[in-house]
Structures are given as C-alpha cells and as structure tokens.
Amino acid sequence: QVQLVESGGGVVQPGGSLRLSCAASGFTFSSYGMHWVRQAPGKGLEWVTVISYDGNDQNYVDSVRGRFTISRDNSKNKLYLQMNSLKVEDTAVYYCVRGGRYQLESAVDYWGQGTLVTVSP
Amino acid sequence: DIQMTQSPSILSASVGDRVTLTCRASQSFSKWLAWYQQKPGKAPNLLIYMASTLQSGVPSRFSGSGSGTEFTLTISSLQPDDFATYYCQQYKSFPCSFGQGTKLEIK
C-alpha cells in the first residue's frame, strides 16, 4: 500500500533553516508528481510546492518562493523540502502528498502523517 | 491566482440529512477541482476529483458537481462518520489553492 513518511520537523528560530524528508513506498515513485501542503495550527490547508515526476519542473506559492526548494531522489524514493530564512508564519504541519501520474497539475490522493515545523524566537 | 471561497464556514446538520457544500472560484475553469475530508488530528482524505469523479473506496453518498466558478459537494444522507471539515481545491493553475474549509457539525 502507498506510504508516505515525513521526517525532519522541529523547532527553529526565525531566519533558520530546516530540511524535511519524505520516504515513499508502495508505488512507482518516479512516475508521480509530488507536493508539499502545510497547515498552520487551527487553520486551513495551504498548498506550498510541487515537483514533476522527473524533477525537472517545480512550482511554489509566492510566500515561499526563493526561500524553499523542493527536490527529489528517485533512486532513493525520497522527496525533500529545503526551507531557508524561516519565518514565524511558516509554523505548520507539513504534509508530503502524492500528485498525478506524469502530471504536474492534479488532485492529490495520498498524504503522509505530517511533520510539525515550529518557528519561534 | 485563483481564489477559492467555501460556504458556509460552519454547517450544523443531523444524521440522515442531505447537505450541500459550496465552493466558488474567482476565475472560471472546467472541472479541475477536488474535495477533501479532514478529521481532527488526521491528514486529509481525497473524496472527489475532476469535480465529480468519486475516489476509489469513497461511499456513494458523496457526490460532486459543477463547473465554471461554482462547485458543490453533496452528502445524500449524513452518517456519524461524516462530521468533519471539508476543503475544495482547484488544480487548474498554480498555486493550487484550497478553500478555507467548511466544518460540518452535529446539530
């Protein structure tokens, strides 16, 4: 069965950096676009970024563009999110989410359990 | 960017009721819309994609419709397990924006 397991969350000061990882299993990882979606405490869902199945295309929400970088290693079935210049407003649970097969724009069907990132002075 | 607005924000209903949740888009598009259900402390679950296609394993009491700027999610007969928060999401263009959510509460 499809499994997505995030790791790397934690507490960091404003201006700091953090790298999230997502280990994927149960499907052909290299065939699917992958997304990160976040949810601030008590708030709604916010789409953050997507990467194409082959890693050649990415897109970001404006609020993180230039600070966050999505990447993938298809040989290891892993997705990453490098987060730099973190702000208090980046505090959220970050979900690794599977997108479409060979598609960048798609609904997302499988979600990880999420990893909490807290940015606090 | 496409903005998504859900209504109502909170809906109180009873087991057995038929309920309709609405999602409006700031720009028109055809069917690139999904609905998700989220329960407290859990990751969201995909219910509907392409506006009206039921995800595998989702009960048939859930249905979706709409195109253009107005989309709806209907639950034909509410079950106790359905009380949760529901989100719509457009994936016509980036950023793939979510609505703010509709919380479905027990009356």
Side-chain angles (χ1 to χ4, degrees):
Chain A
Q1 72 281 19
V2 173
Q3 278 200 309
L4 299 167
V5 180
E6 303 95 337
S7 60
V11 181
V12 62
Q13 291 187 335
S17 297
L18 215 52
R19 189 197 198 202
L20 306 183
S21 299
C22 171
S25 61
F27 65 104
T28 305
F29 180 71
S30 59
S31 298
Y32 287 83
M34 296 295 297
H35 303 244
W36 289 97
V37 174
R38 67 184 179 183
Q39 188 168 34
K43 303 297 184 183
L45 301 171
E46 181 183 31
W47 177 85
V48 177
T49 181
V50 63
I51 189 167
S52 60
Y53 67 97
D54 58 2
N56 288 338
D57 291 305
Q58 305 89 27
N59 210 299
Y60 299 90
V61 68
D62 282 350
S63 59
V64 309
R65 186 174 287 114
R67 300 189 298 121
F68 289 12
T69 302
I70 189 172
S71 62
R72 65 190 297 159
D73 185 338
N74 285 346
S75 68
K76 296 181 178 178
N77 288 353
K78 283 204 164 179
L79 177 72
Y80 303 100
L81 184 64
Q82 178 66 45
M83 304 185 294
N84 298 332
S85 304
L86 281 160
K87 304 177 181 180
V88 170
E89 53 264 40
D90 295 319
T91 295
V93 172
Y94 285 73
Y95 293 102
C96 166
V97 195
R98 192 179 83 166
R101 193 161 179 266
Y102 300 120
Q103 289 180 312
L104 206 57
E105 294 94 343
S106 70
V108 291
D109 57 0
Y110 286 93
W111 299 63
Q113 84 287 353
T115 188
L116 177 61
V117 172
T118 302
V119 185
S120 177
Chain B
D1 296 0
I2 300 176
Q3 313 300 324
M4 307 301 293
T5 303
Q6 292 184 240
S7 60
S9 295
I10 302 173
L11 178 59
S12 297
S14 301
V15 173
D17 284 353
R18 178 184 179 91
V19 297
T20 297
L21 286 60
T22 299
C23 178
R24 290 186 174 87
S26 61
Q27 300 174 30
S28 179
F29 56 87
S30 174
K31 295 191 176 297
W32 301 100
L33 185 108
W35 289 95
Y36 303 87
Q37 177 194 68
Q38 187 179 33
K39 296 180 180 178
K42 300 292 187 181
N45 182 44
L46 175 65
L47 301 174
I48 302 276
Y49 60 97
M50 292 302 286
S52 60
T53 303
L54 198 65
Q55 172 71 348
S56 175
V58 174
S60 59
R61 64 181 179 273
F62 291 91
S63 63
S65 66
S67 67
T69 61
E70 184 161 324
F71 300 85
T72 60
L73 173 70
T74 299
I75 309 173
S76 60
S77 178
L78 274 173
Q79 300 301 302
D81 192 48
D82 300 338
F83 292 95
T85 299
Y86 293 83
Y87 295 93
C88 63
Q89 183 204 21
Q90 66 81 19
Y91 49 98
K92 169 67 171 65
S93 64
F94 292 116
C96 299
S97 41
F98 288 89
Q100 83 281 12
T102 292
K103 185 175 182 180
L104 185 51
E105 294 184 333
I106 300 174
K107 185 184 284 185

